[in-house]
Amino acid sequence: MITVYKSKKLSGFISIPGDKSISHRAIIFGALCVGRTTVRGLLESEDVQRTIEAVRQLGAKVDKKDGKWEVYGFGVGGFTSPENVIDCGNSGTTCRLIMGAISTTPISAIFVGDKSLSQRPMDRVIEPLSEIGVKCSARNGSFLPITLEGISSAMPIDFVSKVDSAQVKSAILLAGLNSRGTTKYVERTLTRDHTERMLISFGGKIKTEKTANGYTHYLEGLQELKPQEITVPSDPSSASFFIAAALMVEGSDITIRNICMNETRIGFLKVVNKMGARIEVNNKKTICGESVADLRVKYSRLKGVKVPESLVASMIDEFPILSVLAALAEGKTEMNQIAELKVKESDRIVSMCKGLRQCGVDVNFGEDYMTVKGMKEIRGGQLINTFNDHRIAMSFICLAQVAQKPITISETNSISTSFPEFIEKFKEIGANLSNQMNQ
Ligand code: S3P
């Protein structure tokens, strides 16, 4: 539990840890090469540790040396059967991407996860993999534990996805790497494209076409990848919490360095700009095929907006913190077509609405939407349940920065899945947080 008090103002320069999605992929791609891949700026969170442990079990060597991570892999198709279960903990990315990556190699593995992950749907990956001929037996057809039996000489698939999910796309592309021929994957919206970019930076080939129905990716099978030196840019989803806090707390002026500015990840920035945020984008550059920049964020008076549906995928992890900003913006904020939030680490529509309602905010929600009416003042004084979801915990810690009375957050352990230094970093720029109590 942690008690969070109103802050005076937030100021200063801050660096935040590496991007979670890119970190998972750097480890997985390293494991798919023969030789040494080095990774600087890797996010050392629990979720990424799960991926490191998973590829170790599949035969790769992964160690930290002189401040950077080294991965020695066995090449595409080189994974060996793990001796133990692959425990994905809370990490959907570990589970779905590793399922795809091993599915076209003739090994078998058992995947397990924590309570939250065991309630999240895996049929979205099982279905396309079964089309290739991979055998997955899952609890009730979709849930962990899952036993996966990979196949040899897999034939590629031509798959049209019903969900906008970079995890599903990545699973199928990773499966396609060891298939005989061209894998075709169609998605309605371009979801985060780190897998495609990283594949290219590892010397692989993939072609993406924009069509009337969305985006089609073509991936040749049996490609050889070459080990690389990767530098991971900072995570825009983790940055969004500090961006929001600086926008809300009067007098704030912070600069966050080296944020990944990939187009498929900056929907949140586009929306807060529409709301009236004062954010400068400085020092733009490219690192390992990803654009990055420093963001200077100043306190701003925000107005409610209707979030364009075309931006939902590019800000899927930022809706909890956006709803906090909406609670203080002038007018109503409407978020539609957000049903995917129901299958995240918690049902994020319900988790956020419950907490905001407790704080006296006027919210409305349904299966795939949420509306928030802004108010002048948040009264505070509540105990908020995070539902053990890191992004819910961080969102309410931010809201508490501007509440009249302190807010207590039910737990903060979940934060270590994506941003272990969150509380320390937040204190560095002036946030007023009590000492953490063990739970
Ligand atoms: C991720 C994709 C997103 C996101 C998750 C990380 C990834 O999930 O919510 O935090 O690394 O591919 P979906 O692709 O399932 O939407």
Side-chain angles (χ1 to χ4, degrees):
M1 251 192 292
I2 190 170
T3 302
V4 188
Y5 302 86
K6 197 170 173 182
S7 280
K8 288 213 174 62
K9 68 169 186 183
L10 305 171
S11 60
F13 289 78
I14 189 160
S15 297
I16 58 166
D19 185 73
K20 182 156 77 74
S21 296
I22 299 177
S23 296
H24 283 290
R25 286 155 175 84
I27 297 294
I28 295 171
F29 275 99
L32 289 167
C33 300
V34 179
R36 183 183 68 176
T37 286
T38 59
V39 190
R40 287 190 169 76
L42 186 85
L43 169 67
E44 295 179 3
S45 74
E46 276 175 20
D47 277 12
V48 177
Q49 289 293 347
R50 297 290 178 174
T51 292
I52 293 177
E53 219 23 72
V55 301
R56 278 184 181 143
Q57 284 219 57
L58 294 163
K61 203 168 148 278
V62 189
D63 286 307
K64 193 173 179 183
K65 214 169 150 192
D66 304 328
K68 55 183 197 279
W69 287 83
E70 294 184 344
V71 187
Y72 291 85
F74 287 92
V76 171
F79 288 135
T80 48
S81 281
E83 285 176 5
N84 216 323
V85 294
I86 295 184
D87 187 350
C88 305
N90 191 247
S91 175
T93 313
T94 306
C95 185
R96 296 186 177 124
L97 268 59
I98 299 285
M99 280 176 69
I102 67 167
S103 65
T104 47
T105 302
I107 61 172
S108 48
I110 299 169
F111 291 84
V112 297
D114 71 3
K115 199 170 162 214
S116 151
L117 190 61
S118 303
Q119 286 162 10
R120 296 178 66 190
M122 297 299 157
D123 51 348
R124 49 183 60 198
V125 173
I126 295 172
E127 264 175 40
L129 292 183
S130 330
E131 276 188 35
I132 315 179
V134 177
K135 285 202 189 83
C136 293
S137 69
R139 182 174 54 87
N140 295 335
S142 180
F143 302 98
L144 295 176
I146 292 174
T147 304
L148 183 150
E149 276 171 52
I151 50 170
S152 57
S153 310
M155 294 310 284
I157 45 165
D158 183 339
F159 187 73
V160 180
S161 183
K162 290 192 273 308
V163 285
D164 295 330
S165 166
Q167 293 179 352
V168 175
K169 169 173 67 177
S170 303
I172 303 315
L173 295 177
L174 288 166
L177 271 179
N178 204 32
S179 301
R180 295 163 174 262
T182 309
T183 293
K184 188 174 158 197
Y185 183 89
V186 181
E187 56 182 347
R188 293 174 300 199
T189 317
L190 185 64
T191 59
R192 64 189 69 191
D193 61 357
H194 306 300
T195 299
E196 298 92 297
R197 283 171 191 272
M198 199 165 281
L199 183 83
I200 292 167
S201 57
F202 274 80
K205 285 196 199 87
I206 181 160
K207 207 172 78 189
T208 299
E209 270 174 13
K210 188 170 181 346
T211 64
N213 304 328
Y215 291 80
T216 306
H217 308 277
Y218 299 92
L219 175 87
E220 283 307 313
L222 306 179
Q223 298 191 41
E224 195 190 323
L225 302 177
K226 299 201 177 64
Q228 297 298 314
E229 292 189 358
I230 301 289
T231 300
V232 182
S234 295
D235 194 315
S237 302
S238 297
S240 67
F241 298 104
F242 295 155
I243 294 172
L247 290 174
M248 291 189 295
V249 178
E250 251 180 272
S252 295
D253 183 352
I254 64 166
T255 298
I256 319 174
R257 295 194 194 90
N258 269 328
I259 300 300
C260 177
M261 294 291 283
N262 180 314
E263 265 300 308
T264 61
R265 296 291 299 282
I266 55 170
F268 173 76
L269 284 178
K270 291 181 183 166
V271 171
V272 293
N273 276 336
K274 266 166 87 87
M275 294 171 87
R278 293 186 297 158
I279 301 181
E280 278 171 34
V281 179
N282 299 317
N283 297 330
K284 283 189 196 159
K285 54 186 175 221
T286 303
I287 299 180
C288 293
E290 296 281 1
S291 55
V292 301
D294 297 343
L295 300 179
R296 181 168 180 193
V297 187
K298 293 181 189 160
Y299 163 71
S300 311
R301 283 183 195 283
L302 301 183
K303 285 199 164 62
V305 282
K306 183 169 187 299
V307 176
E309 278 138 31
S310 60
L311 291 181
V312 168
S314 65
M315 54 181 291
I316 196 67
D317 292 338
E318 281 72 80
F319 280 97
I321 190 62
L322 180 71
S323 65
V324 162
L325 281 179
L328 279 152
E330 188 193 325
K332 190 162 80 170
T333 294
E334 291 179 45
M335 298 163 253
N336 296 314
Q337 293 195 7
I338 53 170
E340 272 298 299
L341 296 191
K342 297 189 80 63
V343 290
K344 294 295 178 190
E345 287 81 330
S346 70
D347 176 339
R348 287 183 174 158
I349 297 184
V350 171
S351 310
M352 283 312 298
C353 287
K354 278 199 169 154
L356 288 173
R357 268 190 187 157
Q358 261 183 283
C359 295
V361 182
D362 185 355
V363 294
N364 211 340
F365 68 96
E367 286 302 295
D368 68 346
Y369 73 90
M370 177 171 169
T371 53
V372 179
K373 276 200 196 134
M375 26 205 282
K376 290 219 166 63
E377 207 176 83
I378 300 291
R379 51 170 193 263
Q382 297 78 16
L383 165 64
I384 300 291
N385 186 352
T386 68
F387 298 90
N388 295 315
D389 180 335
H390 55 137
R391 298 201 200 276
I392 305 301
M394 290 187 277
S395 296
F396 280 101
I397 290 176
C398 289
L399 183 65
Q401 302 301 306
V402 290
Q404 297 310 311
K405 287 190 191 153
I407 292 182
T408 302
I409 314 290
S410 65
E411 62 79 44
T412 52
N413 285 346
S414 59
I415 297 175
S416 52
T417 60
S418 68
F419 195 169
E421 305 106 314
F422 174 75
I423 287 171
E424 287 319 305
K425 292 272 173 191
F426 213 0
K427 283 183 181 168
E428 265 176 42
I429 51 170
N432 195 357
L433 308 160
S434 78
N435 282 335
Q436 232 169 309
M437 289 171 257
N438 284 334
Q439 309 113 77

